[in-house]
Amino acid sequence: IASHRTTHLKLDCGEPKGESYILGKAIAKVVSQNNPKLDISVIATSGSDENFEQIEKGEADFAIVQADLPGGRSARTVAV
């Protein structure tokens, strides 16, 4: 039996007019169109430092951050 449950994820992205936020909205849209069981909430933040903090606290599932910043214990890097 296939699950009818929707998985909700939080994506921290930076300021609403920034490139990271715009990219996050695009990712959420494509995911939604291709997998309606995944719901990604794009969260506006003050930037990469806050995004890492939210990941460490478990308050975000994933984030878009600057590539030249060191990650925390919970951070895993995926580059596109």
Side-chain angles (χ1 to χ4, degrees):
I1 298 176
S3 173
H4 297 288
R5 190 179 321 175
T6 300
T7 300
H8 301 279
L9 301 170
K10 291 182 182 179
L11 171 59
D12 280 4
C13 290
E15 297 184 10
K17 293 188 180 191
E19 293 175 359
S20 295
Y21 189 86
I22 294 167
L23 175 61
K25 292 293 276 188
I27 290 169
K29 180 179 179 180
V30 169
V31 169
S32 174
Q33 290 172 341
N34 290 283
N35 190 339
K37 292 183 182 180
L38 283 177
D39 175 51
I40 298 176
S41 297
V42 178
I43 308 298
T45 67
S46 61
S48 294
D49 289 331
E50 181 180 352
N51 295 352
F52 274 131
E53 288 175 18
Q54 297 299 322
I55 291 286
E56 289 299 318
K57 292 178 185 176
E59 295 177 6
D61 297 298
F62 55 116
I64 297 175
V65 299
Q66 290 178 261
D68 60 345
L69 294 176
R73 292 184 319 269
S74 300
R76 300 295 178 265
T77 303
V78 176
V80 208

